[in-house]
Amino acid sequence: RACNGSCEISRPYQQPTDAKMTVQVTRIVENPFDSNRKKLKDFVWKDDMEPHAERRRQIMKAHPEVSKLMGVEPLSKYIAVGLVVAQFSVAVALSDQVGSLMWWLTVYFVGGTLTHSLFLGTHEIVHNLALRSNVLSKLLAIFTQLPIPIAYVIDFKAYHFEHHKLQGTEGVDTDLPMAWEGSFFSTPLRKAIYLAGILFSYTLRPLFVRPKEPTLWHLVNWACVIATHTFMYKTFGPGVLMYCFASVLISALNPCAGHFLAEHMVFYDDYETYSYYGWLNIFCWNVGYHNEHHDFPGVAWSKLPQLRVIAPEFYDNLPCHESWSAVMYNFVTMDNITPFNRVKRRPKSN
């Protein structure tokens, strides 16, 4: 059935080089939120393999031209630099207005949105889709995360690759909530707290679930972040650091934060990955095309809509979201959506 209502979609791509953020979407499942689903007391355990490798194989067999979409997007490095300049420029411009209404509004609407853009820019970069060189990609990722005053990007690269390779595997995929999170964050108030702190759980959980030995790159990451914010503090005062920290904290309540929940929570049947084709992808490097991204991690953000156009028969039957804000609202208000709504797999023995 075609989507009716206020879907955040526009006309389809006509050429592979088109730079639009959204595509025409024919949807079989109109509403991914199943109010009749029972509230889970444990995760959705599966014994099968994650779905993306097999779908990738099928798409490549049916549409070998997809291989032409893979590779570096040259614009990405310039966009990343522009985002860093923009965030620090706003922070400096408002450094003497800390705590004012204008400051808070800017922190929420501009700082929070740019924080997501920066984070998802590093996501693109660590996939080596901005630069081919692994070393240069790490350096660019560190530079791109500088307005975020917590050195996370080197750890993120390692954990994120495991998330792709072994999606849903307990103890390996650190994107998965822990059991206590599912048990505790089960009421509207507690889920609201979970949502407000989702960036902390996303960045701190891996350190407990799957700690890794620090490397020289970790030292470089922290040194660059500390040096940058020390320079900004001494040059422009504490307002810049306060703006950057506040932007990170408040970004958890920005509509763009809905992607953290929307991507892999189980909303409909036992589907474990969901795409979103709306206009917020403009700010988020098309991360809403999440089935497409997991199917082809080597396709850059700018080509994911074209992948969707080339192989619609593989995506039309998958449930997807119309609104990240709706995901956040329904997560808090619907009793049958908790952190337990995730697919987990037990590690395979060698």
Side-chain angles (χ1 to χ4, degrees):
R1 293 177 293 174
C3 175
N4 52 20
S6 57
C7 296
E8 299 162 337
I9 55 180
S10 64
R11 292 183 179 180
Y13 271 22
Q14 300 298 319
Q15 299 294 334
T17 55
D18 200 330
K20 296 177 183 177
M21 296 297 105
T22 55
V23 298
Q24 188 76 30
V25 177
T26 299
R27 299 177 58 199
I28 304 301
V29 179
E30 291 185 3
N31 181 13
F33 302 107
D34 183 2
S35 59
N36 295 319
R37 186 186 187 95
K38 290 184 178 180
K39 185 175 183 178
L40 298 174
K41 297 182 179 180
D42 195 2
F43 298 101
V44 180
W45 290 95
K46 288 187 175 182
D47 295 323
D48 60 357
M49 299 295 291
E50 56 84 19
H52 300 289
E54 175 58 22
R55 187 160 57 236
R56 176 166 57 248
R57 185 191 67 79
Q58 293 177 7
I59 291 175
M60 286 300 297
K61 182 177 180 181
H63 301 285
E65 67 272 24
V66 165
S67 62
K68 297 179 181 179
L69 301 178
M70 300 178 188
V72 167
E73 169 52 72
L75 286 175
S76 296
K77 55 183 176 291
Y78 303 113
I79 295 173
V81 171
L83 290 170
V84 173
V85 172
Q87 186 75 316
F88 276 135
S89 296
V90 175
V92 170
L94 295 179
S95 60
D96 60 348
Q97 300 183 44
V98 175
S100 68
L101 177 61
M102 176 60 71
W103 188 84
W104 279 113
L105 290 174
T106 306
V107 165
Y108 180 76
F109 288 104
V110 178
T113 302
L114 283 175
T115 294
H116 287 287
S117 296
L118 290 161
F119 173 75
L120 293 167
T122 63
H123 166 259
E124 191 76 10
I125 294 164
V126 300
H127 275 285
N128 286 9
L129 295 174
L131 297 166
R132 290 185 176 88
S133 165
N134 191 46
V135 171
L136 292 179
S137 292
K138 287 182 178 179
L139 291 173
L140 180 60
I142 290 171
F143 175 80
T144 304
Q145 82 120 107
L146 287 179
I148 301 175
I150 301 170
Y152 72 88
V153 76
I154 297 301
D155 272 325
F156 173 71
K157 179 180 175 70
Y159 290 123
H160 188 66
F161 276 34
E162 292 174 340
H163 166 64
H164 272 274
K165 186 177 181 180
L166 294 168
Q167 178 177 308
T169 301
E170 186 178 35
V172 178
D173 181 359
T174 57
D175 187 70
L176 295 166
M178 292 184 282
W180 74 266
E181 295 176 67
S183 298
F184 183 77
F185 295 107
S186 58
T187 66
L189 177 59
R190 291 178 181 180
K191 287 192 288 183
I193 295 172
Y194 180 86
L195 183 59
I198 196 167
L199 291 179
F200 293 99
S201 62
Y202 193 85
T203 55
L204 295 177
R205 186 191 300 121
L207 305 180
F208 296 95
V209 174
R210 193 171 173 82
K212 295 181 182 295
E213 291 291 326
T215 67
L216 178 60
W217 278 109
H218 289 86
L219 178 61
V220 172
N221 194 177
W222 273 107
C224 290
V225 170
I226 293 172
T228 297
H229 285 278
T230 299
F231 169 80
M232 299 299 285
Y233 179 87
K234 290 185 175 181
T235 306
F236 302 105
V240 173
L241 183 60
M242 294 175 70
Y243 174 90
C244 290
F245 263 118
S247 295
V248 172
L249 293 173
I250 209 167
S251 67
L253 301 178
N254 185 286
C256 293
H259 82 87
F260 287 110
L261 299 173
E263 291 167 356
H264 294 294
M265 292 199 77
V266 176
F267 296 93
Y268 182 87
D269 199 5
D270 287 340
Y271 288 94
E272 58 189 281
T273 305
Y274 297 76
S275 289
Y276 157 80
Y277 301 110
W279 62 273
L280 287 177
N281 279 307
I282 294 171
F283 306 107
C284 296
W285 300 77
N286 277 342
V287 76
Y289 289 77
H290 215 66
N291 268 300
E292 294 82 352
H293 169 62
H294 269 264
D295 290 350
F296 291 92
V299 173
W301 63 275
S302 57
K303 300 297 192 299
L304 289 174
Q306 182 62 21
L307 169 61
R308 177 67 174 75
V309 170
I310 289 173
E313 70 273 23
F314 290 93
Y315 297 109
D316 282 349
N317 65 323
L318 301 178
C320 61
H321 292 291
E322 292 183 12
S323 167
W324 279 337
S325 298
V327 172
M328 297 166 72
Y329 176 80
N330 286 323
F331 171 74
V332 173
T333 60
M334 291 182 68
D335 186 60
N336 62 355
I337 304 178
T338 74
F340 274 139
N341 288 57
R342 290 294 299 266
V343 168
K344 276 196 176 186
R345 297 175 174 87
R346 292 176 174 83
K348 303 291 184 182
S349 56
N350 295 326

